[in-house]
Amino acid sequence: MKYIFLFCSCLLASQFTLPAIGQVAPSPAQKRVKDEMLDAVMAFMTKLTPEQKKQATYPLNDEERFNWHFVPRERKGLPLKQMTKEQQSAAMAMLKTGLSQQGYDKVTSIMDNENVLRVIDNRPPNDTYRDPENYSFTIFGNPDNKDPWSWRIEGHHLSLHFLSQTGKVIAQTPTFFGTNPAILAFDSSMADKRMQNPRIVDLPQKGRQIMRQETDKAFALLKSLNQDQLKQAIVNAVAYPEIVTSNKRKASMERMDGVKMADMKPEQRTLFMDLLQVYLKNYHVTLAKQQLDKLKKTGLDELRFAWAGDLTPELGEGKGWYYRIHGPTILIEYDNTQTNANHIHTVVRDLTNDFGEDLLQEHYKNVTHDKP
């Protein structure tokens, strides 16, 4: 069997302009991200036909911007499968302006996993339900140097959102990464019976574990907790069947449960920060720092680690585990319960600024032009 993978990207050169009189110039780091992202989006749009541009763009205030999900489905926007090779390259170049190499590698692996699912689900090569090109790019608003604008990439197990304004990415959530299978290995003893498919032997992706760090580092932290800490951390004996906040427009939890970072020993705090950084370091270094600075401002000691489900990473019938990192401004959820604990969903939500809604409200209170 022949497998074709068409992911490629290029990073466009930055272009720097002087700020307008009276305008505060963004920091060099912020300017670098802003220029690369703006340039990449504009380069992508210039390669589209008028019909494609109409399909790919929406007003910033359109409700479609909040219509996000992580299941296989038809989506608005312009999917890769309707692009030329040159347009695909330009679309993928947009990703590198908001992600680290780690994050970009995860995205392309998640897309490529659709090829894997075609094989282990015994689907034909041209199957459209498992489709590595069914990932859509959408632009919201008019990218420029003054007004806020946004863009999104979304498909099965992937949903990324960025909102930019005057030299700074002001929102980068919700961020959803998922992987199925979580562990790809030809193994007749695995509880995930799909792994008994002999076609796996010839897969170039054999051995792939896209979210191994998210799993291993969480279990390392869990194992370090003493009995009193475990009583605080474990919120349910059985893992939840899905991330609790699902694809809701506004994420919220009724209460903050779990063991606080303030109540952890130094070595445990290190393990906790290592786990947190796995998620933050998916973003471009500037955006990761921006997110961490926000967490420091509200107090890292207020972050909590909560767990539900099995306490050992064993796949099996009825097995599964869930954890979350929860603080005043952030909620990270991880769930691995489907397919006998071989199917992971993760999400990062900004409890104060998902989709940039809070900062947009503040922006439009302080400007004289028409609201969107």
Side-chain angles (χ1 to χ4, degrees):
M1 179 176 290
K2 190 175 183 180
Y3 302 92
I4 299 175
F5 312 102
L6 48 81
F7 302 117
C8 61
S9 65
C10 62
L11 199 57
L12 303 178
S14 300
Q15 297 180 1
F16 295 89
T17 57
L18 292 174
I21 296 175
Q23 179 182 355
V24 177
S27 71
Q30 291 172 345
K31 186 66 176 175
R32 183 176 63 253
V33 173
K34 166 63 165 57
D35 284 346
E36 287 183 355
M37 185 172 287
L38 176 62
D39 290 348
V41 171
M42 294 302 292
F44 170 68
M45 293 180 68
T46 60
K47 298 181 186 304
L48 304 183
T49 66
E51 293 77 14
Q52 287 176 315
K53 189 175 294 185
K54 183 177 180 180
Q55 183 177 344
T57 57
Y58 286 80
L60 183 64
N61 65 332
D62 197 289
E63 285 298 308
E64 175 58 29
R65 191 161 75 91
F66 310 105
N67 178 26
W68 76 283
H69 215 309
F70 43 85
V71 298
R73 67 173 185 174
E74 290 298 320
R75 289 173 159 83
K76 303 293 185 180
L78 186 65
L80 286 166
K81 60 186 173 183
Q82 294 180 15
M83 300 181 196
T84 66
K85 292 289 192 293
E86 184 182 18
Q87 291 168 342
Q88 289 173 350
S89 180
M92 298 303 288
M94 292 163 55
L95 277 172
K96 283 199 169 181
T97 65
L99 300 176
S100 64
Q101 188 62 49
Q102 168 187 291
Y104 182 80
D105 289 344
K106 284 182 181 178
V107 168
T108 54
S109 293
I110 288 168
M111 290 177 170
D112 183 38
N113 251 19
E114 295 297 283
N115 287 310
V116 172
L117 288 170
R118 279 179 175 173
V119 172
I120 64 178
D121 289 351
N122 293 309
R123 294 178 177 273
N126 61 347
D127 174 63
T128 58
Y129 184 71
R130 303 300 192 188
D131 188 351
E133 291 189 307
N134 190 22
Y135 288 83
S136 292
F137 290 76
T138 315
I139 315 297
F140 298 94
N142 182 25
D144 60 31
N145 290 320
K146 182 182 66 173
D147 293 326
W149 57 277
S150 176
W151 72 277
R152 174 183 74 197
I153 173 177
E154 187 173 284
H156 183 213
H157 280 159
L158 179 67
S159 189
L160 305 179
H161 308 251
F162 298 94
L163 179 73
S164 183
Q165 182 209 347
T166 58
K168 184 178 182 181
V169 176
I170 61 175
Q172 60 208 53
T173 56
T175 299
F176 184 97
F177 285 160
T179 178
N180 174 29
I183 300 174
L184 178 63
F186 178 62
D187 187 346
S188 60
S189 66
M190 282 183 67
D192 183 353
K193 302 304 181 185
R194 300 173 304 170
M195 299 301 102
Q196 298 177 14
N197 190 329
R199 298 168 73 192
I200 291 176
V201 175
D202 298 322
L203 285 176
Q205 304 94 336
K206 184 175 59 177
R208 173 182 284 172
Q209 297 184 52
I210 298 174
M211 296 187 179
R212 182 170 185 169
Q213 289 190 86
E214 289 87 339
T215 302
D216 289 353
K217 290 182 181 293
F219 273 106
L221 174 58
L222 181 73
K223 186 177 180 180
S224 75
L225 302 180
N226 61 38
Q227 288 303 310
D228 289 338
Q229 291 172 318
L230 283 173
K231 289 179 182 178
Q232 299 177 60
I234 298 174
V235 294
N236 207 46
V238 179
Y240 307 120
E242 182 56 276
I243 56 174
V244 177
T245 52
S246 185
N247 65 322
K248 296 175 183 176
R249 174 168 172 171
K250 190 170 183 62
S252 64
M253 302 291 291
E254 291 184 0
R255 46 187 281 179
M256 289 183 64
D257 293 316
V259 58
K260 292 177 67 172
M261 187 169 172
D263 297 329
M264 295 181 184
K265 299 175 182 178
E267 59 272 22
Q268 294 171 331
R269 294 168 67 93
T270 298
L271 292 172
F272 189 22
M273 288 302 299
D274 285 347
L275 176 60
L276 174 64
Q277 289 283 21
V278 169
Y279 292 91
L280 299 188
K281 287 183 177 179
N282 286 327
Y283 302 112
H284 186 287
V285 61
T286 305
L287 303 186
K289 182 180 184 302
Q290 189 172 294
Q291 187 79 306
L292 183 59
D293 287 346
K294 183 175 182 178
L295 294 176
K296 288 179 178 178
K297 186 175 181 180
T298 55
L300 290 174
D301 279 347
E302 296 303 310
L303 295 177
R304 294 174 183 260
F305 177 69
W307 189 276
D310 293 300
L311 305 183
T312 55
E314 299 170 5
L315 283 68
E317 186 73 32
K319 295 286 186 177
W321 52 88
Y322 163 99
Y323 69 80
R324 63 174 173 257
I325 295 171
H326 192 186
T329 64
I330 195 170
L331 175 64
I332 299 172
E333 291 190 88
Y334 165 113
D335 185 85
N336 185 9
T337 55
Q338 299 181 48
T339 326
N340 294 329
N342 199 27
H343 185 153
I344 297 172
H345 288 174
T346 70
V347 71
V348 179
R349 306 295 300 263
D350 187 325
L351 300 178
T352 62
N353 195 46
D354 259 355
F355 300 103
E357 288 195 273
D358 288 4
L359 287 177
L360 278 178
Q361 290 178 5
E362 186 66 23
H363 166 75
Y364 286 114
K365 284 194 302 185
N366 296 307
V367 293
T368 55
H369 59 67
D370 293 335
K371 296 182 180 181

